[in-house]
Amino acid sequence: MLILGGTGEARRLATALVEDGIDVLSSLAGRVADPVLPPGDVRVGGFGGAAGLVAWLRAEPVAALVDATHPFAATMTASAAEATGVTGTPLLRLQRPGWTPQPGDDWRWVDSLAEAAAAVSGFAHVFVTTGRQGLGAFAGLPGEVLVRSVDPPGSSLPQRTTVVLARGPFTVDEELALLREHRVDVVVTKDSGGGMTSAKLAAARELGLPVVMVRRPPAPTGVPVVATVEEATAWVRDRLGRQAG
Ligand code: NAP
């Protein structure tokens, strides 16, 4: 089994499959300097586009592939769909559901980081939680910008940036304290979904702050999608002709 990883779901899937005695190789992009590693074998680094992945799948004895990358890892997801279309390797997309607003939320949906930057350009204290990739989109912001990421961001930061290095999960109390400390008046996030980083949404609701929410890229057509690790585990067992448990 090849798992395209970089998410908590990918790690939990690897754990479940390894416990089943299945030979698992997890693939990581190598973006995070000190990643939390899943059990089983791990490889790090890109394949070289869809063509590289085709060559890799032809050289390695892979029975099936689960694309459990982040909902915003659209290039890898497209590559997996294209490559498995060529090699005939069974492919499943494991993608957690997006977030849904609750009463009291003031969410403003946008389609890209550039649109998000435009939407917050009039705010004085912006909290950007979209990860260190793509921060260049916010470089022109005139106000105070609080950036949170796992590893230090590179260049092209807004002029008045404060960086907080942290890896989720975060509690609502921690998020409230951070928002208050930095006098945040708007939060920017991707619609990542899941519980690891959702506390900021509850904190924003509590403080009555608007949230600029970047919509997910569309999923590739023709690839079956499941929302939970349990469904993905069942799919793998089915592919490998295994009994549950
Ligand atoms: P991306 O834009 O879709 O991927 C860019 C390139 O990185 C891909 O074309 C591929 O290189 C390589 N790559 C991505 N994921 C890979 C994997 N699991 N194994 C091997 N190569 C991989 O993805 P991204 O947004 O940079 O995300 C990179 C990784 O971080 C993913 O594993 C994702 O699950 C994780 N992540 C992303 C986000 C986010 O907001 N985007 C958030 C949390 C975690 P080649 O073309 O050379 O194969």
Side-chain angles (χ1 to χ4, degrees):
M1 273 306 307
L2 174 63
I3 300 174
L4 301 176
T7 58
E9 286 80 3
R11 281 193 299 278
R12 288 202 287 123
L13 178 62
T15 305
L17 298 180
V18 166
E19 278 172 8
D20 264 7
I22 294 170
D23 200 0
V24 175
L25 174 64
S26 294
S27 175
L28 303 178
R31 296 277 184 281
V32 177
D34 178 24
V36 185
L37 292 177
D41 293 328
V42 176
R43 67 169 293 288
V44 180
F47 296 94
L53 184 54
V54 166
W56 193 93
L57 288 170
R58 286 189 170 141
E60 301 289 332
V62 170
L65 197 166
V66 177
D67 170 13
T69 55
H70 191 269
F72 281 81
T75 309
M76 188 68 250
T77 288
S79 248
E82 191 182 331
T84 55
V86 174
T87 61
T89 314
L91 170 66
L92 180 72
R93 173 79 173 123
L94 166 57
Q95 180 167 271
R96 66 180 92 121
W99 288 315
T100 43
Q102 296 183 24
D105 279 329
D106 173 9
W107 291 5
R108 302 164 187 195
W109 290 90
V110 295
D111 281 317
S112 65
L113 294 178
E115 277 186 31
V120 299
S121 62
F123 286 83
H125 301 275
V126 183
F127 183 25
V128 176
T129 68
T130 49
R132 72 186 169 127
Q133 287 184 75
L135 278 177
F138 299 95
L141 286 185
E144 301 277 350
V145 179
L146 175 65
V147 168
R148 179 168 64 197
S149 58
V150 176
D151 287 320
S155 49
S156 330
L157 295 176
Q159 233 175 16
R160 295 153 66 196
T161 300
T162 304
V163 176
V164 176
L165 297 182
R167 185 180 342 228
F170 307 103
T171 66
V172 177
D173 283 345
E174 285 166 347
E175 298 294 50
L176 281 169
L178 190 71
L179 294 177
R180 287 189 174 118
E181 181 190 342
H182 294 272
R183 295 187 293 143
V184 168
D185 52 11
V186 65
V187 177
V188 184
T189 179
K190 292 174 177 170
D191 178 18
S192 298
M196 289 277 283
T197 57
S198 60
K200 64 190 167 194
L201 303 174
R205 186 182 316 126
E206 196 165 325
L207 298 179
L209 301 182
V211 174
V212 173
M213 183 73 70
V214 183
R215 209 172 265 117
R216 292 177 169 198
T221 48
V223 177
V225 182
V226 295
T228 65
V229 171
E230 291 67 31
E231 290 167 286
T233 309
W235 181 89
V236 171
R237 285 188 186 130
D238 207 36
R239 286 292 139 321
L240 302 184
R242 300 230 172 188
Q243 299 300 311

